[in-house]
Amino acid sequence: MADINASIHFLLLIFFSSTFLYLKLLNLVPAMAFSMLSSWVGLDCCRWSGVVCSQRVPRVIKLKLRNQYARSPDANDEDTGAFEDDYGAAHAFGGEISHSLLDLKDLRYLDLEHEQFEGLQIPKFIGSFKRLRYLNLSGASFGGTIPPHLGNLSSLLYLDLNSYSLESVEDDLHWLSGHLPRDLGKLCNLRTLKLSFNSISRETTEFMDGLSECVNSSSLESLDLGFNYKLGGFLPNSLGHLKNLKSLHLWSNSFVGSILNSIGNLSSLQGFYISENQMNGIIPESVGQLSALVALDHSENPWVGVMTESHFSNLTSLTELAIKKSSPNITLVFNVNSKWIPPFKLNYLELRTCQLGHKFPAWLRTQNQLKTIVLNNARFQTRYLIGFGS
């Protein structure tokens, strides 16, 4: 294991000259990382592993240098997980990224996922790649603040800066911190933005306002700000201007207050996750206008007020609904007509610590596609249910 974890110091300098990419110097590369770099010999860099060139005029357009041995953050294998993390970390490389990378003027794709940069800041010059469409620095142990210069990447479609790491860290030096730069809101062509598992703080208003000012609206389809914990404040009204949004992950943060009525403008939204925050206001009736919504998770928030048929009036695509909290104090009431027939067919339903009415909800009998149903501390008088579908 000592041999596996042993690191050899190199200086890595990549520069572009004519049609060739040359390897001259290296930076801190673990010995096992050579399994990928072993092909980096000869002058024809287009044959090197992880390097993709254009066809007509051979120019480097992609650097696909992600750690192929890294375990996915979604993996949950208790028997092999720790071993895979060690094995993946042993194959990672890192060190300071040279300014000479700027010589790759046609670069459109840069992937350094799950490499190890030991808390170094994301280089500001990354914001100079005007043609870059894909940037993935996730799980690569970058630290410091998000450079506002990334807002200059006007062609960018995909940006992943989540800080899920192969190795657990006891401090936040390997997490991105600070606030969301307003300049990121200038990325009007961006379709996917992932910033989860960081230490980003303060509010999102400036960033959201920036996106809402895009001519012909923002192209953003997927926004993941989950697990930042210190990120919070009130949800900005400009969130409702992101009309192309399909997936919104805000779970495990510190948002407060109510969901604003403008949320009903997100006609393309399919997944809305805002569990484990401090939302202590109301859920507006405009949520019921989200006809494309498939999954809604508003759990572990101290919601107040009453939910009626109007909150679900147009949720024809809904299959998963979770509104639960571990606190025994009931502050949310469902008040629907006993003859109400929902427009949806759920396969997952979890309602905990809420008032469902004086009788067992008759509308549950219409949900004949349910696979999971949890009604814990969901108060009503009837103690059993009859008439369920198949």
Side-chain angles (χ1 to χ4, degrees):
M1 183 61 69
D3 292 337
I4 292 178
N5 292 327
S7 295
I8 303 176
H9 288 270
F10 294 93
L11 290 176
L12 179 61
L13 177 60
I14 300 176
F15 70 92
F16 192 60
S17 176
S18 183
T19 63
F20 302 115
L21 190 68
Y22 292 87
L23 185 67
K24 293 195 69 176
L25 301 170
L26 288 179
N27 266 336
L28 193 60
V29 181
M32 292 185 69
F34 284 116
S35 58
M36 180 182 67
L37 301 180
S38 60
S39 69
W40 287 31
V41 293
L43 296 181
D44 188 359
C45 65
C46 296
R47 296 180 178 270
W48 296 357
S49 176
V51 179
V52 179
C53 297
S54 55
Q55 293 183 351
R56 291 185 178 180
V57 179
R59 295 281 191 255
V60 175
I61 58 173
K62 293 185 179 182
L63 290 178
K64 304 171 73 173
L65 305 179
R66 68 167 57 190
N67 185 348
Q68 300 292 341
Y69 297 92
R71 184 169 63 115
S72 166
D74 298 325
N76 189 25
D77 191 330
E78 296 181 357
D79 295 329
T80 62
F83 170 77
E84 288 179 353
D85 282 353
D86 290 342
Y87 193 67
H91 280 80
F93 65 78
E96 186 176 353
I97 301 176
S98 170
H99 281 77
S100 297
L101 192 66
L102 286 174
D103 290 328
L104 303 179
K105 300 184 184 302
D106 295 292
L107 193 65
R108 300 176 186 176
Y109 186 108
L110 178 59
D111 188 350
L112 299 174
E113 181 179 354
H114 285 309
E115 303 300 355
Q116 293 292 325
F117 290 92
E118 302 297 331
L120 292 176
Q121 289 199 344
I122 298 173
K124 296 178 180 179
F125 66 78
I126 295 291
S128 300
F129 289 102
K130 300 297 184 181
R131 297 187 178 184
L132 200 65
R133 297 181 180 180
Y134 181 100
L135 179 59
N136 188 348
L137 305 180
S138 64
S141 296
F142 282 104
T145 59
I146 300 173
H149 306 77
L150 295 183
N152 296 328
L153 300 175
S154 57
S155 298
L156 203 63
L157 303 177
Y158 182 99
L159 177 59
D160 191 345
L161 300 178
N162 92 69
S163 287
Y164 174 82
S165 178
L166 291 172
E167 299 177 323
S168 61
V169 291
E170 296 180 356
D171 53 45
D172 60 358
L173 296 179
H174 297 182
W175 298 340
L176 296 175
S177 58
H179 67 286
L180 280 175
R182 182 182 177 87
D183 288 344
L184 281 186
K186 294 161 54 178
L187 300 177
C188 295
N189 291 313
L190 194 67
R191 295 177 184 173
T192 299
L193 176 59
K194 298 182 179 182
L195 288 167
S196 56
F197 293 99
N198 281 295
S199 188
I200 300 171
S201 58
R202 296 200 283 185
E203 297 186 358
T204 61
T205 302
E206 287 192 357
F207 163 66
M208 295 285 189
D209 287 352
L211 286 174
S212 68
E213 293 171 2
C214 291
V215 178
N216 298 323
S217 78
S218 166
S219 298
L220 195 65
E221 296 179 357
S222 178
L223 177 60
D224 187 352
L225 300 176
F227 297 94
N228 277 282
Y229 303 111
K230 297 178 183 179
L231 184 67
F234 295 97
L235 294 179
N237 189 62
S238 50
L239 175 62
H241 297 161
L242 306 182
K243 296 185 179 180
N244 292 306
L245 203 62
K246 295 180 180 179
S247 177
L248 179 59
H249 290 78
L250 300 176
W251 44 25
S252 296
N253 289 308
S254 297
F255 289 105
V256 299
S258 302
I259 297 174
L260 299 178
N261 285 325
S262 62
I263 200 72
N265 298 329
L266 303 183
S267 57
S268 299
L269 194 64
Q270 299 174 8
F272 186 11
Y273 305 92
I274 194 169
S275 60
E276 298 184 19
N277 278 272
Q278 300 170 27
M279 300 293 291
N280 54 358
I282 65 169
I283 300 173
E285 291 184 357
S286 59
V287 168
Q289 300 305 310
L290 302 176
S291 59
L293 196 66
V294 175
L296 176 66
D297 189 352
H298 286 181
S299 302
E300 299 302 339
N301 286 287
W303 301 108
V304 297
V306 178
M307 297 189 72
T308 68
E309 298 95 330
S310 297
H311 288 81
F312 306 96
S313 59
N314 203 27
L315 300 187
T316 55
S317 302
L318 193 68
T319 62
E320 299 179 17
L321 174 62
I323 305 178
K324 62 180 181 179
K325 66 175 182 177
S326 54
S327 167
N329 183 29
I330 291 179
T331 56
L332 185 65
V333 176
F334 286 79
N335 184 17
V336 298
N337 190 286
S338 60
K339 297 182 180 180
W340 177 57
I341 299 177
F344 49 72
K345 292 288 187 180
L346 300 177
N347 57 46
Y348 182 92
L349 173 64
E350 187 166 10
L351 299 175
R352 296 191 185 190
T353 314
C354 56
Q355 177 69 50
L356 290 182
H358 297 291
K359 297 181 179 181
F360 203 105
W363 64 268
L364 281 175
R365 298 190 180 107
T366 69
Q367 301 303 298
N368 54 14
Q369 296 180 21
L370 273 170
K371 297 179 180 179
T372 301
I373 178 171
V374 178
L375 303 176
N376 189 356
N377 196 24
R379 296 183 185 175
F380 42 77
Q381 292 180 347
T382 306
R383 296 185 180 182
Y384 55 88
L385 175 65
I386 60 175
F388 243 102
S390 59

